[in-house]
Amino acid sequence: MFDIIKAIILGIVEGITEFLPISSTGHLILANEFIQMKQSTQFTDMFNVVIQLGAIFAVVVIYFHKLNPFSPKKNSLEKHDTWILWLKVLVAILPSVVLGLLFNDWMDAHLMNWQVVAAMLLIYGILFIVIENRNDRLTPRFTNLSNLPYQTAFIIGMFQLLSLVPGTSRSGATILGAILIGTSRFVATEFSFFLAIPTMFGASLLKIFKYFSHGGAFTGTQTMVLLTGTVVSFIVAYLSIRFLLNYIKNNDFKAFGWYRIILSVLVIAYFGFFAK
């Protein structure tokens, strides 16, 4: 019963942080320092990744029509444009697919700790403020996904590589990178959402495969825990996406930068001094 409650809390954390540029993995690592389920480390590591599928399904639901090339409500040109959008997404995820597979085990062994999370929260918090201050003086070159070149999509995918380090934020890295090379905030945000679909599906399938290949199995309780976390993540992520889309209509991302900086200071203070 207590693990179900913890799964709900972790699902809420994941749902809030997956698409806001504040690092879902980083927040889950920190949350697990305080909310430890009575499960194996292997299950917990897999749980933290797989519940992200709930958040990804929220994107699929919200953007189902836009991302569906078979929609009967679209004309031939709109269907063609949808296929082109998916091709841009596939081009953008290539760097993460290649390097993510190569370094996944090493990163799990060496980077999943509060020190790395705190450092990345701080660094990218500062970058958000600096880049947004610069962006205030510039006019975006790409204000619609339809005029986003393949080369630019690939470069955004290269920025997504940075998110392999926990605390960076997958959405944060792609949004920052996209803004830096000339996209509007809205285009950067939407493209980040779409990149999440194949990226997180792939990461989740990899984690599940590794879990079972190392002899893992789901008990009845573990199945309930995983389903609970995933469903809660979906509901909260749906609301979080709606919030972010409305937020960026009239605001920049500097508030998230300040949040990251403040959180990193609190993390360093707690784990560096008070937790000793």
Side-chain angles (χ1 to χ4, degrees):
M1 182 62 185
F2 284 115
D3 275 356
I4 296 293
I5 295 173
K6 292 173 184 176
I8 292 172
I9 296 172
L10 293 173
I12 293 172
V13 172
E14 163 58 27
I16 292 173
T17 60
E18 179 60 42
F19 297 107
L20 300 185
I22 54 178
S23 179
S24 61
T25 302
H27 277 75
L28 287 173
I29 290 172
L30 297 176
N32 276 289
E33 294 284 344
F34 301 96
I35 306 170
Q36 296 180 353
M37 292 189 289
K38 294 180 179 179
Q39 305 292 337
S40 67
T41 302
Q42 291 77 12
F43 176 83
T44 302
D45 291 343
M46 182 271 299
F47 172 89
N48 286 340
V49 174
V50 173
I51 63 170
Q52 297 178 27
L53 282 179
I56 301 310
F57 276 118
V59 174
V60 174
V61 170
I62 291 172
Y63 287 99
F64 185 76
H65 175 71
K66 185 169 187 174
L67 294 174
N68 181 13
F70 305 105
S71 173
K73 297 180 181 180
K74 291 183 176 179
N75 58 39
S76 58
L77 179 60
E78 290 171 330
K79 291 179 180 179
H80 174 267
D81 289 343
T82 304
W83 282 116
I84 295 299
L85 174 59
W86 274 112
L87 284 174
K88 291 174 184 178
V89 169
L90 291 176
V91 166
I93 67 168
L94 286 176
S96 294
V97 169
V98 174
L99 293 182
L101 288 172
L102 287 175
F103 295 103
N104 182 264
D105 290 340
W106 185 88
M107 290 183 294
D108 281 352
H110 297 90
L111 301 181
M112 298 297 180
N113 55 69
W114 71 263
Q115 293 93 337
V116 172
V117 171
M120 293 302 102
L121 285 171
L122 179 61
I123 291 170
Y124 285 92
I126 294 171
L127 284 174
F128 260 113
I129 295 169
V130 171
I131 290 174
E132 279 289 28
N133 283 334
R134 167 187 174 274
N135 194 47
D136 287 340
R137 301 187 297 273
L138 301 176
T139 301
R141 290 185 294 152
F142 309 113
T143 56
N144 194 295
L145 284 170
S146 62
N147 67 5
L148 188 73
Y150 284 100
Q151 181 181 3
T152 303
F154 182 78
I155 295 171
I156 294 172
M158 293 294 289
F159 278 101
Q160 183 172 243
L161 278 176
L162 299 171
S163 67
L164 295 175
V165 181
T168 298
S169 169
R170 189 202 54 76
S171 62
T174 53
I175 288 171
L176 268 182
I179 290 174
L180 194 60
I181 58 178
T183 75
S184 66
R185 292 188 188 97
F186 192 82
V187 168
T189 302
E190 278 204 332
F191 198 63
S192 173
F193 290 165
F194 303 156
L195 284 186
I197 297 173
T199 300
M200 297 316 303
F201 265 113
S204 298
L205 290 175
L206 179 61
K207 279 291 184 183
I208 292 172
F209 172 78
K210 288 172 63 177
Y211 180 73
F212 284 113
S213 66
H214 288 85
F218 291 158
T219 64
T221 299
Q222 288 175 331
T223 301
M224 285 301 299
V225 166
L226 192 58
L227 286 174
T228 299
T230 303
V231 171
V232 171
S233 172
F234 166 81
I235 296 169
V236 178
Y238 184 92
L239 299 174
S240 179
I241 292 169
R242 291 296 190 191
F243 161 77
L244 186 59
L245 290 174
N246 286 322
Y247 177 86
I248 61 175
K249 290 178 181 177
N250 301 304
N251 300 278
D252 59 29
F253 287 102
K254 282 185 278 191
F256 296 110
W258 283 113
Y259 169 82
R260 293 174 66 105
I261 292 170
I262 293 169
L263 181 60
S264 70
V265 171
L266 293 175
V267 169
I268 293 169
Y270 178 80
F271 289 104
F273 301 100
F274 299 114
K276 289 185 176 180

